[in-house]
Amino acid sequence: MGILKKTMTCLGVLAAASAGETAYFYRRTMIRNNAKRERTMKMSGTDWSQYEPLLKERKEFLMAQPHQDLYQNSFDNLKLHATYFPAICDDNGRKKVVICFHGYTSQGMSDYIALSDYYLKKGFAMLLPDARAHGLSEGEYIGFGCLDRKDALQWISWVIQECGEDVEIILHGTSMGGATVLMASGLDLPKQVKGIVSDCGFTSPKEVFTHVLNNMYHLPAFPAIPCADVVNKKLAGYGMDECNAKREVRKAKVPILFIHGSEDTFVPCQMCHEIYDYCNAPKKKLIVEGAAHAESYYKDTKKYEQTLTEFFEELD
């Protein structure tokens, strides 16, 4: 009886430790008020201080343009926010809109400050949504692309209603936003969506969390990930591998441009190669040598913009 009692006590301690680890991981990762941007930026490994002068200049340009706040309800009745910038120049009468999806713990008005210079001067209007549980959008649980792809459909519908049936739409996502547009590629997208750009998108929450735990915290994914998966299904309504970009791009019909930095340690570049190989739609790939997470545009701006232009020209 003594051995059995000790065994049961040890099992109880282990179970409590596992539950504690899961709760700690889940709170820090999946819940709005505990997922901190400062922690994400530190984990990403990108030195953003070197780009502050450029970002300041581009932000001044962006904010000087006419823009408006928009709100609409999600499929599960959350109030979602976005900022809309009309095109500032004409492209032979074409109506072009890029919908830009930001990364984890960021917001719509942050991740595309630099790229606004390219898009607005190329005749695009820009729609910058705040993902659920980010910015001015409602929501307690982060969608990690799995839920955000459904929200993307509603922003696409808004653009078509606002701009007309002849509008041409590009979806551009970075990091979690990149996963969002890749996961959306497997949906029945309206004909107005002409192309998708994914910059450092991941395969699924499960796989990117496993990578972070193993390589950054030197912890096993079990039991935290499987237990968090059960909790998330109950609280947020989706499983951590329920929507996987590798599976979704198999169903894609819209052309996709994949971009990734070779030195990305947060979302490893190998994920880009894997998703690219699974993709059945017309596709292109740009790997920016030496770029860390979400740094590709800044590391080689000329090549990034040239690749975007070539990709868009091929869509015509």
Side-chain angles (χ1 to χ4, degrees):
M1 288 296 292
I3 295 175
L4 177 60
K5 185 176 182 180
K6 289 180 180 179
T7 301
M8 294 302 292
T9 299
C10 290
L11 289 174
V13 170
L14 288 172
S18 296
E21 179 186 342
T22 298
Y24 178 75
F25 167 78
Y26 191 83
R27 284 197 305 269
R28 282 168 59 96
T29 307
M30 307 298 294
I31 298 178
R32 175 188 200 125
N33 291 333
N34 297 318
K36 304 299 184 183
R37 178 151 177 79
E38 295 79 12
R39 186 166 64 239
T40 302
M41 293 180 69
K42 184 177 180 180
M43 291 172 62
S44 73
T46 306
D47 178 14
W48 290 109
S49 63
Q50 61 187 309
Y51 303 117
E52 286 179 0
L54 173 66
L55 288 167
K56 181 180 179 181
E57 176 188 328
R58 296 284 176 90
K59 185 174 183 178
E60 288 176 355
F61 164 76
L62 178 63
M63 297 310 296
Q65 310 309 316
H67 56 279
Q68 65 180 114
D69 290 312
L70 306 172
Y71 292 91
Q72 65 171 338
N73 288 336
S74 68
F75 67 92
D76 51 354
N77 206 34
L78 297 175
K79 183 182 286 188
L80 302 178
H81 169 264
T83 309
Y84 181 66
F85 289 81
I88 63 173
C89 59
D90 183 63
D91 185 12
N92 297 317
R94 295 170 64 182
K95 292 185 288 187
K96 304 186 300 183
V97 179
V98 58
I99 309 178
C100 301
F101 299 89
H102 64 77
Y104 175 59
T105 67
S106 187
Q107 55 186 342
M109 290 292 287
S110 294
D111 287 7
Y112 292 88
I113 290 172
L115 264 167
S116 65
D117 183 80
Y118 172 84
Y119 275 122
L120 290 176
K121 291 179 181 178
K122 287 286 185 180
F124 284 88
M126 298 183 73
L127 181 65
L128 307 175
D130 289 338
R132 56 177 54 223
H134 290 77
L136 297 179
S137 289
E138 292 182 344
E140 183 176 2
Y141 302 103
I142 296 172
F144 281 102
C146 300
L147 299 181
D148 306 301
R149 67 178 188 150
K150 298 179 182 179
D151 299 332
L153 287 178
Q154 292 187 247
W155 289 119
I156 292 169
S157 295
W158 180 90
V159 169
I160 295 171
Q161 182 177 357
E162 176 71 15
C163 301
E165 293 289 327
D166 58 340
V167 67
E168 302 170 34
I169 299 173
I170 298 294
L171 308 181
H172 191 141
T174 301
S175 193
M176 186 182 78
T180 298
V181 297
L182 292 175
M183 292 175 183
S185 74
L187 300 174
D188 186 17
L189 296 174
K191 63 181 181 180
Q192 287 83 1
V193 179
K194 303 299 183 183
I196 293 173
V197 181
S198 172
D199 187 335
C200 61
F202 53 76
T203 48
S204 72
K206 176 184 176 182
E207 292 183 9
V208 77
F209 293 157
T210 297
H211 166 76
V212 169
L213 284 175
N214 289 345
N215 293 278
M216 294 186 175
Y217 290 97
H218 307 290
L219 294 172
F222 183 86
I225 300 300
C227 293
D229 182 60
V230 173
V231 173
N232 204 55
K233 286 178 181 177
K234 182 176 181 179
L235 296 180
Y238 70 95
M240 291 191 178
D241 197 52
E242 182 176 307
C243 188
N244 188 305
K246 287 187 293 188
R247 295 194 296 267
E248 294 306 307
V249 296
R250 284 177 167 175
K251 300 178 284 185
K253 297 178 182 178
V254 175
I256 302 176
L257 169 61
F258 296 85
I259 302 173
H260 220 105
S262 67
E263 300 304 310
D264 192 337
T265 57
F266 194 37
V267 177
C269 191
Q270 181 57 33
M271 283 194 181
C272 177
H273 297 308
E274 290 176 7
I275 304 170
Y276 181 88
D277 289 342
Y278 275 85
C279 182
N280 281 327
K283 56 191 177 182
K284 291 175 69 73
K285 180 166 58 176
L286 170 65
I287 304 299
V288 179
E289 293 300 322
H293 186 66
E295 191 186 21
S296 293
Y297 179 76
Y298 305 88
K299 199 72 173 181
D300 194 343
T301 303
K302 182 178 179 180
K303 184 64 175 177
Y304 196 110
E305 292 185 348
Q306 178 185 341
T307 303
L308 285 179
T309 299
E310 292 173 354
F311 178 65
F312 297 150
E313 287 175 349
E314 291 174 4
L315 300 179
D316 293 342

